[in-house]
Amino acid sequence: MDNRIIIKMKSGGLGRLINIIQTLFVSLMRIWTIPIVLALSLASGFTTYYGMSHFITPWIALIITVAIQSIIVICSFEIAGIHWRANRLRYFSVLSSLLIALGASVSFSYFKFYEISEQDTIHIQRLNEVRNKVEDYLSDIIAIKGELLAKERLEVEQLNQQVTQAYFGTHPEIPPSLRNQVGEGRIWRHYNELFQNKKSELAGLEEQLALLDTQIGALQANLNQLDQDSEAIREIYQQISSGLQTVQLQFNRQVAKFNTHLPAAPVLMPYSQYIQGIKPSFAMWTGFSTFALVCAGMVDFFTVLLSYRLEFTAPGPLTEQEEELVFECLRQFTQFRINENDALEMIIEKTEIEKAKRYIDWPRMFAVGLLLSRGFLRKVDDRTVEFAPTLYPLIAEKLGDKLQQLKEQSGRAEPATMNTEPVAHEQH
């Protein structure tokens, strides 16, 4: 450790030690800000490049991304040192460049964060799309199948009744002379043949539709397994596609002769499209995601903020020569008071007497500017500044050194006075 610091620690005691530790901590935090800014700029650059590379050639996107991030950091760093009242044109040109770069960075970064935040949502939408198409089709064919079976059973029941009426001689087609005669006559044989054929046809239809129900059950089972995260998802999707075609062929073959208005089977997306990731496009702005935009803007916001603070705040403590210069220059100010924040406040303008004497105050104003840039003073308004907490120990140390020098001078002056008094008496 520097001997100067050790001497100050011994002379200043605990207060000086705390001030040194605080100054060191603040300096380390300001140094640590630099890699944080670079890391944030790198992260923002990656997301910007990712989004931009889907629209233009990758190497061109890389060059533009580097330019955008450089503009953001440089303009944020530069705008902290520009006072807009002093140079409005420069201030607004830098501000405009910063806003344009931020707009480009956030816009293209939005695509990456949209992909991250909406990936699961897109997958669920595709899953629901496949399910809804298949289930809607199955619902249609199940409804038609039920209506067909009900109609065929009703016809069988009606033929059965007609066979019974013909057997007991009450059928309307039996001549009046043969009414109420029980037996198996010509009319009974005719309707009995129709009944047996219809009954056999119904049994065959029920058997075929029972096979269709089995195929529908297998298709629905595969649909239930479609949302699983497994390596067999490709096989399951292919089974759904082939199972849907089998159900369609089986249903059309059995029902086409009864009903010509058959529902069209859905066309499922290819498996490659089903598992395809999100490709950035301007359609993402249609399905706007506030979360993705906030995340994209947050990275650039912190980059701008830390870059701004890196220039705006003090870069480090004062050197020994700067401490001496500051102390001597501040002693030339005369108007001090304690303000509402319980801080020492001083007026940095010339007094009326100084103006009358044409006093040159640039050395002390240089000291004020130095302390403002280092964070040891805080500007209250155009004519007053207040002391920051880190300045009090420095001034106290300098005042202590001055008091110690005065004591030493007074101590040396007393022996000298005692030695000169007897000589004076002898002369008398």
Side-chain angles (χ1 to χ4, degrees), residues 183-217:
E184 299 176 356
R186 180 178 57 83
I187 296 178
W188 177 88
R189 285 191 298 271
H190 171 71
Y191 282 100
N192 185 59
E193 182 180 358
L194 293 177
F195 171 71
Q196 295 300 328
N197 292 337
K198 196 67 176 178
K199 185 177 179 181
S200 176
E201 183 181 347
L202 177 61
L205 180 62
E206 289 178 343
E207 183 179 354
Q208 294 297 327
L209 293 181
L211 178 60
L212 178 64
D213 290 337
T214 303
Q215 295 170 346
I216 291 175

Side-chain angles (χ1 to χ4, degrees), residues 333-348 377 380-381 383-387 392:
F333 290 101
T334 58
Q335 302 181 69
F336 295 87
R337 74 182 187 93
I338 302 299
N339 62 16
E340 295 80 2
N341 296 327
D342 295 332
L344 184 61
E345 183 179 283
M346 68 179 184
I347 298 176
I348 57 177
L377 287 179
V380 178
D381 53 37
R383 60 190 301 269
T384 56
V385 295
E386 67 177 12
F387 283 33
Y392 293 103

Side-chain angles (χ1 to χ4, degrees), residues 206-258:
E206 289 178 343
E207 183 179 354
Q208 294 297 327
L209 293 181
L211 178 60
L212 178 64
D213 290 337
T214 303
Q215 295 170 346
I216 291 175
L219 180 58
Q220 290 176 333
N222 288 328
L223 281 176
N224 294 331
Q225 297 178 1
L226 190 59
D227 60 343
Q228 297 180 358
D229 296 330
S230 63
E231 297 179 355
I233 191 68
R234 181 187 185 93
E235 181 181 353
I236 293 174
Y237 193 86
Q238 291 176 349
Q239 290 177 357
I240 292 174
S241 181
S242 60
L244 180 62
Q245 293 178 359
T246 303
V247 169
Q248 179 190 13
L249 293 174
Q250 180 71 13
F251 177 75
N252 291 346
R253 185 184 302 116
Q254 299 300 323
V255 181
K257 57 184 177 180
F258 300 100

Side-chain angles (χ1 to χ4, degrees), residues 307-415:
S307 300
Y308 180 86
R309 293 296 300 171
L310 191 62
E311 164 64 20
F312 188 72
T313 55
L318 299 174
T319 63
E320 184 176 3
Q321 291 79 7
E322 290 173 340
E323 289 181 1
E324 294 293 338
L325 172 65
V326 167
F327 180 73
E328 292 300 327
C329 291
L330 289 181
R331 290 177 59 189
Q332 300 179 22
F333 290 101
T334 58
Q335 302 181 69
F336 295 87
R337 74 182 187 93
I338 302 299
N339 62 16
E340 295 80 2
N341 296 327
D342 295 332
L344 184 61
E345 183 179 283
M346 68 179 184
I347 298 176
I348 57 177
E349 289 184 343
K350 292 181 182 180
T351 62
E352 296 298 330
I353 297 177
E354 290 174 342
K355 292 179 180 179
K357 293 182 178 181
R358 297 183 178 179
Y359 174 74
I360 300 176
D361 65 340
W362 76 263
R364 69 183 188 183
M365 294 304 294
F366 172 81
V368 171
L370 175 64
L371 293 177
L372 285 171
S373 65
R374 296 296 183 88
F376 290 98
L377 287 179
R378 298 169 180 168
K379 196 169 184 181
V380 178
D381 53 37
D382 293 337
R383 60 190 301 269
T384 56
V385 295
E386 67 177 12
F387 283 33
T390 52
L391 186 58
Y392 293 103
L394 187 150
I395 301 299
E397 178 187 355
K398 295 300 178 182
L399 290 176
D401 292 342
K402 294 297 181 182
L403 292 176
Q404 185 65 29
Q405 292 177 4
L406 292 175
K407 289 182 180 180
E408 292 177 356
Q409 291 176 0
S410 62
R412 288 194 299 267
E414 289 179 359

